Amino acid sequence: MRTPLSTVSGVLAVLPETNVNTDAIIPSAWLRTAKADLARGLFGARRFDEDGRERPGFVLNQGPFRTAKFLLSGENFGCGSSREAAVWALAQFGIRCVFAPSFADIFYENAFRNGVLAGIVDEATGAALAAAVERHCDAPDFTVDLPAGVIVDPDGHRHAFTVPPHRAAALIRGDDDIDLTLRHLDDIDGYFSAAKRDRDWLYTPTTDTRRQTP
Amino acid sequence: MTDPSLHPAAEAAAARPRTLFDKIWDAHTVKTLEDGRDLLFVDRHILQETTSAQAFENLARAGRKVRHPDLTVATQDHIVSTRPGRDEDTNPGGRELLGLMRTNTAANGIRHFGVDDPRQGIVHVMGPETGFALPGCLLTCGDSHTSTVGGLGAVGLGVGTSEVEHVLATQTLAMARPLTMRVTFNGVPGPGVSAKDLILHMIGELGFASGRGCAVEYAGPAIRALPVEGRLTVCNMSIEFGARLGLIAPDEATIDYVRGREFAPTGGAFDRAVAEWLRLHSDSDARFGRDFTIDCWRIAPQVTWGTSPQDVAGVDKAVPDPARFADAKRRELAAAALRYMGLEPGMPLEGIPIDVAFIGSCTNARLSDLIAAAAVARGRKVAPNVRALVVPGSMSVKRDAEALGLHRVFLDAGFEWRDAGCSMCVSINEDVVPPGARCMATSNRNFENRQGPRSRTHLASPAMVAAAAIRGRITDVRKETAA
Ligand code: SF4
């Protein structure tokens, strides 16, 4: 079970850029240990200078956005490497939902697997949300209503986002993918027995000793 | 005549012309789940140290076991030191993750090719060269460039850590079926033009997000003419235009490549495998979601000028003027890229001085890559202001290269001759490009800060990087070989 996600309120931060890559979301320096403080590493090189001081220009260093729960960005968010730490960093920082016109494939998968919503908003909706943040920059409090598929802005306007129904349902239930798959164990074992018969050459990668150390 | 045992739907599916990708995907589909995703059986799984520690930890916490430890192998590549003679402690920053990899694999009965094993290497180099990756198999790895094995005609899926855990626990992956796309490479590339140039050129032509959601098949005479190592290079960079995976139909060259490798089947099993591999090609009337053609005649050696792999041009061209891009967004991106790279519009690419030359990575650190680089470096000297590194993709590549005397060529020229690992491709070990320095690299990503804070990266082929190392500036390798 993961923490279910249904209706959440919080601050929406805007990162108005396209192609935000996973190296930018979590620089590789933060991947050197299994126990890194990824919340601090989030957008590391963008948030902090080389001496570790905050860069005041970066949105997450400004007023209410320090506690943002939602992030709005441009096309192809999360492109680049497959590092799941990009999603962990967002989640550990407290970001529950990311909205963008499109996402890179692996990032998209990783987000849902960690209970983070990756919602698709078209350009016009993105612009309207950004304008709402601008109008309420002192208290940019939004509500994401996942069952309804909308983001409610501080003025009460509802902005639609897209998420495949089965993914929304899994987030709302807090599904764990491994538990779900293990329900199909009989099918998996059945497949494997048949495949071993049909492709006997494929499932014996065990010739460990044939050519050891030269 | 119809076979009464065939269900009508199955019969229709069997009759429907299918792509190479469809054939492999269908053969691995355990079942289609209620949400529309397919549950796929994973034949082969490779682990690397930076994306697996968390997976083992979660597995243990949930009290789950590794289901098929014999179908997984592990290596250490990302964070290892590449200093010759290194061990797990040479790079202190890597100790924790390297140690976890060793203990986790030992505890779970998984074979581990760590820095003390002769097979150690970058996952995507080690997989094909040990024969662990085979044509027609479905392979996953917690690393985006798993598509590399597509060069053998395998489906390679790069996944995140949660999915690594999922594969360990279930030997399956639940995934929506990608769309299909084909890129046909026609014509014969000129001298000095390698697999790397073909794929860089293609990404420049089609755009860096053009493959999103797609399984891409590379086809055409220029692809068929590539040796298997070149095909691995092409499929490797599928990720750089957003594709889910890339693949190339296996042929005689593939079979020759696989034969005799450590984990490859032998004897009768090998013959049965070959019979199946030769059926792995797209039916002539198969339809692709998208279809593109690339003409190879006029492709020059490529070099990137910006911070995305699509920011690429022939080495005989100039740095483009961002104002000339039709698309407003592209104009903005290109202008920002030039600022970051410290370049001016209109500057010829040839002649831009470099500080570092890096020959390595899962894209271009196989034996043929080192041979190409050595051919340029032989009998010459690295420019005095340049730090030049050759980092073989695996210790096996290193041994093979030394057997050919390539290490002497590189060392005599002033290159460092290092042990295998990802090294300056990702710079999470101690191999880092200094701030503001300009590096010509054979790797696959030129993002801001990728090779170290404020590092500037120009991607190119091994021969081009060797030529730049010698001249101290970006150089058209065609002139070098003609000289
Ligand atoms: S060489 Fe670079 S791209 Fe390849 S696996 Fe290593 S870090 Fe990733």
Side-chain angles (χ1 to χ4, degrees), chain B residues 78 122 124 143 145 361-362 422 425-426 444 450:
Chain B
H78 280 64
I122 305 173
H124 316 303
D143 192 279
H145 289 95
S361 90
C362 59
C422 295
C425 171
V426 63
N444 48 46
R450 167 85 176 176

Side-chain angles (χ1 to χ4, degrees), chain B residues 116-439:
Chain B
D116 51 351
D117 190 284
R119 286 160 291 204
Q120 182 270 342
I122 305 173
V123 274
H124 316 303
V125 176
M126 182 272 278
E129 87 187 354
T130 54
F132 187 69
L134 291 173
C137 79
L138 190 145
L139 182 148
T140 62
C141 172
D143 192 279
S144 49
H145 289 95
T146 307
S147 63
T148 309
V149 298
L152 296 173
V155 164
L157 293 164
V159 297
T161 300
S162 300
E163 285 164 303
V164 168
E165 184 190 347
H166 191 278
V167 174
L168 289 171
T170 70
Q171 203 59 35
T172 64
L173 194 63
M175 214 181 125
R177 189 188 195 103
L179 310 168
T180 55
M181 170 169 162
R182 175 171 59 186
V183 186
T184 305
F185 289 76
N186 288 324
V188 180
V193 176
S194 70
K196 179 69 161 287
D197 301 299
L198 299 188
I199 189 69
L200 278 174
H201 173 80
M202 190 208 85
I203 294 167
E205 291 286 296
L206 303 184
F208 83 116
S210 56
R212 210 161 45 217
C214 289
V216 183
E217 179 173 346
Y218 304 99
I223 294 293
R224 284 270 79 89
L226 286 177
V228 170
E229 292 192 352
R231 299 177 191 182
L232 296 169
T233 300
V234 168
C235 289
N236 174 275
M237 289 198 71
S238 303
I239 305 312
E240 273 54 59
F241 66 105
R244 202 64 185 76
L245 63 105
L247 74 178
I248 294 171
D251 58 14
E252 288 299 334
T254 321
I255 292 161
D256 287 343
Y257 176 92
V258 174
R259 185 181 289 118
R261 295 196 181 260
E262 178 175 0
F263 295 116
T266 52
F270 187 74
D271 298 337
R272 288 192 292 283
V274 167
E276 187 152 330
W277 295 342
L278 291 177
R279 281 197 292 273
L280 290 176
H281 50 77
S282 292
D283 296 330
S284 55
D285 45 355
R287 295 276 195 97
F288 291 82
R290 320 176 66 186
D291 222 335
F292 297 96
T293 327
I294 298 287
D295 253 313
C296 298
W297 297 103
R298 276 187 295 274
I299 299 178
Q302 302 285 299
V303 54
T304 62
W305 48 262
T307 52
S308 152
Q310 72 178 354
D311 299 340
V312 68
V315 62
D316 47 2
K317 295 285 188 309
V319 173
D321 182 352
R324 307 245 319 257
F325 288 107
D327 176 65
K329 249 188 219 137
R330 184 82 207 271
R331 278 201 293 279
E332 232 173 81
L333 287 174
L338 292 192
R339 274 196 302 279
Y340 182 85
M341 293 296 290
L343 299 174
E344 297 294 331
M347 268 169 97
L349 285 167
E350 217 184 332
I352 295 173
I354 66 157
D355 308 299
V356 181
F358 170 59
I359 297 173
S361 90
C362 59
T363 313
N364 277 131
R366 298 182 182 79
L367 187 62
S368 55
D369 298 316
L370 303 194
I371 291 174
V376 175
R378 190 176 298 276
R380 307 171 71 190
K381 292 278 179 229
V382 169
N385 51 330
V386 171
R387 178 183 178 200
L389 300 81
V390 182
V391 187
S394 69
M395 290 311 281
S396 160
V397 169
K398 183 167 186 174
R399 286 189 300 275
D400 290 349
E402 289 184 350
L404 295 177
L406 301 187
H407 61 310
R408 286 264 56 96
V409 175
F410 289 122
L411 287 167
D412 290 349
F415 286 83
E416 297 171 34
W417 177 244
R418 302 185 71 92
D419 279 359
C422 295
S423 182
M424 247 182 216
C425 171
V426 63
S427 295
I428 58 172
N429 68 349
E430 70 277 51
D431 304 338
V432 180
V433 173
R438 189 178 297 285
C439 176

Side-chain angles (χ1 to χ4, degrees), chain A residues 49-94:
Chain A
D49 67 17
E50 279 155 42
D51 301 319
R53 282 184 306 250
E54 281 190 2
R55 296 183 196 273
F58 192 70
V59 59
L60 297 183
N61 290 332
Q62 298 166 354
F65 303 108
R66 292 172 177 279
T67 57
K69 279 203 179 123
F70 314 124
L71 185 69
L72 171 70
S73 191
E75 267 173 60
N76 202 30
F77 187 88
C79 61
S81 98
S82 64
R83 60 186 67 166
E84 193 158 332
V87 176
W88 299 337
L90 287 162
Q92 287 181 22
F93 182 87

